[in-house]
Amino acid sequence: MTCHVTGQRDSTMGLTSALGSVLFVLGLSGICTGFVQENCTNYKLQFERIYSVPGDMAMLNSTLVSPDVFNFTTVPYNITWYDSKTGQEMSNQTGRILVKEETLWFLNVTLDDNGEYVTIVRTPFRCYRQATKLIVDSLTGECGRPRKVDQTLMNGVADTLSCPLKDYMSKLDSYNISSSIKWYKGCEHIVDGTGKYSYRDMTTLMIQRVEPQNNGSYTCTLTFTLGGITGSVSETIDARIREVYSLVPQVREPASEIIKAEIGSSFSKRCLVFVPGVGKPFVSILWIARDKFIRNTQPSDRVYTSQTSFNIQDVPDKGAWLERLLIISELREEDFHINYTCRSYSSRGHPEGYFTLLPADLDGKLYDAYVAYPQRCAVGFSKEVETFALHTLPQVLEKACGYKLFIAGRDCLPGHAVVDSVEENIQASRRLLLVYTASTFTSKRHTSSTSSNNNNHLSKNSNNNENSESKTDDSSSSMSFNGSDEVYQDTRQQLECMAAMHRALVEGSLKVRKQTC
């Protein structure tokens, strides 16, 4: 029996003496008579079993060539495979056996190949032993392997099956040998791209939308040529449908917000995530600031997060709400002008949301701006102005820019006196934002019983009660918004203008900005 010495030598390092190498080569002549007599470090039987069927190819790998066993990059070594039933060394057999260092290939498996195969790795001074078991099952007529790998498919969503032959593909790639794969459901070949099935890559079968009928057995078959023999190896998956699934998480809060807070105050902000699906999702939530995770969860820390809480809902959409708070017990200067990001982690993706924390102005004002615009029944009123003031401005200034506005048509308290409301809220604002149209200042003046303008006059009507009065306008009077001949005074608009002029021109405590629509 001839022993073949393989391995690597590092001539530059000189870690192995010439004498050791000579003894290694000479010693093999007495060792190669069998592996039973050798006192090798025994790594016993590998936990992983190799399953095959007659006619398939099978690959057995030794795990001894590993840095956990010896320094194989600098120490020369020899690998030999043995059949434990006969104790004889395994050698290449055309069309049957191929030995490639730590890998033993069966090119055409038979029932007689069932058994344990031993690897011995020898170095100049030591040897290591390991057994690998090949289990050959007889075919029963069923399409696929008798022993199946269990995988789950999530009902109602797109899902994938993974072919368990990745180790074979990786080994063939290391040999620069090409291979091809086919998928089968039961005995029926699944053509790539037909129906709702598609091959995502060499190892994955995609099902566009899983339904109960997708339950069953799937087989992936890998075909390749090795040692002059074209053969294949197959693996069967027992796919079971389950209802528990999770889709891509949706970060609802924060949502690109700008938040103002005062230095020295406490602060908290929640991260709110909705995960569409059924059952408890496997999703984690983490807060990030300055590219570092905030991992503290103890209230004794100045900056910390709460534990993640979740609630399941069935309507209107099935899913789970997850929430985690970011808490800062006392704000400091270093906490401002940075982004705080909440990122969700799941197998479906890692969406995130953020907010920016800015210091609040310390002038005691409640609002950044008081928004004044012509009210209904007032000169200059238009639907466009109202829409701009009540909808467009809040969308831009509040939601996008983080400003806080007081808008008369939106924020007035019911029953609150107009005079008090105008005075108090202008005083609580840093500036006045006056919204008007081109017609606001070109319309005719209001009709009024106290006006001295000759355009309007009072007349007695002899046909009515002598205490009754009627208003008449000349042909140049302004029309009201509802088509009548009357235009009413806007008490709020007058008060807003007077209060704003006083604070802007006399006190100098208010800035005025105009916005033309």
Side-chain angles (χ1 to χ4, degrees):
M1 183 178 298
T2 302
C3 285
H4 303 281
V5 179
T6 61
Q8 293 181 338
R9 296 175 183 265
D10 190 337
S11 59
T12 60
M13 297 183 65
L15 296 178
T16 305
S17 66
L19 178 60
S21 299
V22 171
L23 291 175
F24 172 50
V25 175
L26 294 176
L28 291 180
S29 61
I31 291 174
C32 292
T33 57
F35 68 89
V36 178
Q37 300 91 341
E38 297 183 66
N39 185 23
C40 298
T41 302
N42 192 352
Y43 281 81
K44 300 183 179 179
L45 182 65
Q46 282 195 65
F47 176 79
E48 182 181 4
R49 308 296 195 262
I50 307 301
Y51 296 96
S52 187
V53 294
D56 263 13
M57 290 186 170
M59 177 184 73
L60 278 63
N61 273 318
S62 170
T63 62
L64 292 178
V65 184
S66 165
D68 295 331
V69 179
F70 70 102
N71 192 353
F72 67 92
T73 61
T74 59
V75 177
Y77 62 90
N78 170 275
I79 304 174
T80 309
W81 281 90
Y82 295 91
D83 185 342
S84 63
K85 291 180 291 187
T86 63
Q88 298 299 310
E89 179 183 349
M90 304 289 294
S91 59
N92 292 341
Q93 298 178 28
T94 302
R96 279 275 302 130
I97 304 293
L98 181 64
V99 181
K100 292 180 71 68
E101 297 186 342
E102 74 273 14
T103 305
L104 174 64
W105 287 93
F106 290 86
L107 303 180
N108 188 3
V109 173
T110 66
L111 288 174
D112 292 336
D113 294 327
N114 187 83
E116 293 183 10
Y117 296 85
V118 176
T119 310
I120 292 185
V121 173
R122 301 180 180 92
T123 69
F125 304 103
R126 299 193 63 179
C127 67
Y128 309 92
R129 172 179 172 174
Q130 182 186 55
T132 306
K133 190 167 187 176
L134 173 65
I135 299 176
V136 183
D137 290 318
S138 60
L139 291 172
T140 60
E142 179 186 4
C143 297
R145 294 287 188 93
R147 299 176 186 267
K148 301 178 177 62
V149 177
D150 291 333
Q151 292 186 22
T152 58
L153 292 171
M154 293 181 289
N155 188 39
V157 299
D159 209 345
T160 59
L161 293 174
S162 180
C163 180
L165 297 174
K166 294 180 181 179
D167 290 343
Y168 281 83
M169 297 179 189
S170 178
K171 182 64 67 174
L172 292 172
D173 288 342
S174 70
Y175 300 160
N176 291 322
I177 293 177
S178 60
S179 60
S180 62
I181 196 168
K182 289 183 179 180
W183 283 88
Y184 300 84
K185 185 176 190 306
C187 299
E188 183 178 352
H189 177 218
I190 300 174
V191 179
D192 184 16
T194 58
K196 55 185 175 182
Y197 295 102
S198 60
Y199 295 9
R200 174 177 287 182
D201 52 40
M202 279 286 289
T203 62
T204 306
L205 177 68
M206 166 69 77
I207 305 176
Q208 291 180 2
R209 185 176 181 85
V210 176
E211 296 176 347
Q213 56 264 35
N214 296 125
N215 190 74
S217 295
Y218 293 80
T219 300
C220 57
T221 299
L222 183 71
T223 302
F224 54 95
T225 300
L226 181 65
I229 300 296
T230 298
S232 64
V233 58
S234 299
E235 201 69 64
T236 298
I237 301 165
D238 189 9
R240 299 184 181 276
I241 308 297
R242 65 171 181 169
E243 288 292 334
V244 179
Y245 68 89
S246 298
L247 301 183
V248 179
Q250 303 168 3
V251 180
R252 301 292 180 85
E253 295 181 26
S256 305
E257 306 166 52
I258 296 175
I259 300 177
K260 292 186 177 182
E262 294 185 1
I263 295 178
S265 65
S266 61
F267 175 84
S268 66
K269 178 64 177 175
R270 71 173 179 175
C271 176
L272 186 62
V273 177
F274 180 69
V275 186
V278 176
K280 182 179 179 180
F282 293 96
V283 177
S284 58
I285 298 175
L286 291 175
W287 280 99
I288 305 169
R290 296 188 179 91
D291 297 325
K292 293 183 179 180
F293 294 109
I294 302 175
R295 300 187 182 277
N296 301 330
T297 57
Q298 299 300 322
S300 57
D301 295 307
R302 187 180 67 87
V303 181
Y304 65 99
T305 65
S306 68
Q307 298 293 335
T308 302
S309 62
F310 77 94
N311 292 296
I312 302 295
Q313 77 172 29
D314 291 324
V315 292
D317 298 310
K318 289 187 177 182
W321 289 97
L322 288 82
E323 180 177 315
R324 189 168 195 176
L325 294 177
L326 170 65
I327 305 168
I328 305 176
S329 59
E330 182 183 357
L331 288 171
R332 299 175 183 174
E333 289 187 4
E334 63 264 26
D335 300 322
F336 295 97
H337 303 287
I338 61 174
N339 289 343
Y340 293 86
T341 301
C342 178
R343 184 178 299 160
S344 62
Y345 289 86
S346 76
S347 60
R348 300 282 182 173
H350 311 116
E352 60 185 33
Y354 75 92
F355 72 91
T356 304
L357 191 59
L358 299 179
D361 297 324
L362 305 174
D363 56 5
K365 301 292 187 181
L366 297 177
Y367 306 103
D368 292 296
Y370 182 107
V371 179
Y373 67 96
Q375 303 288 308
R376 289 177 177 268
C377 304
V379 173
F381 171 81
S382 72
K383 193 65 178 177
E384 290 77 11
V385 171
E386 185 179 55
T387 300
F388 181 82
L390 295 179
H391 299 285
T392 306
L393 279 179
Q395 286 287 337
V396 176
L397 296 182
E398 290 184 328
K399 292 190 177 180
C401 301
Y403 290 107
K404 188 174 183 181
L405 305 177
F406 180 89
I407 304 176
R410 182 192 68 176
D411 300 322
C412 294
L413 295 176
H416 198 189
V418 174
V419 175
D420 295 337
S421 175
V422 171
E423 177 65 25
E424 292 173 6
N425 291 300
I426 286 184
Q427 184 176 357
S429 302
R430 297 183 180 88
R431 57 183 57 83
L432 173 73
L433 184 59
L434 179 61
V435 183
Y436 59 88
T437 65
S439 63
T440 299
F441 304 113
T442 60
S443 301
K444 295 296 184 179
R445 291 187 297 175
H446 299 348
T447 59
S448 173
S449 61
T450 60
S451 175
S452 60
N453 192 323
N454 290 331
N455 289 339
N456 299 324
H457 64 275
L458 297 177
S459 63
K460 295 283 186 179
N461 189 335
S462 58
N463 294 329
N464 297 326
N465 186 290
E466 63 179 8
N467 292 326
S468 67
E469 297 176 346
S470 64
K471 282 181 189 172
T472 60
D473 296 337
D474 63 17
S475 60
S476 63
S477 296
S478 174
M479 298 292 288
S480 68
F481 81 99
N482 60 5
S484 69
D485 290 336
E486 303 252 8
V487 178
Y488 299 97
Q489 290 182 338
D490 183 1
T491 305
R492 171 175 288 278
Q493 193 170 19
Q494 290 179 342
L495 289 172
E496 288 171 341
C497 291
M498 292 175 62
M501 289 175 62
H502 179 78
R503 297 192 179 278
L505 301 178
V506 179
E507 295 181 2
S509 62
L510 183 70
K511 297 178 181 179
V512 180
R513 184 187 180 105
K514 63 181 180 178
Q515 177 66 49
T516 305
C517 294

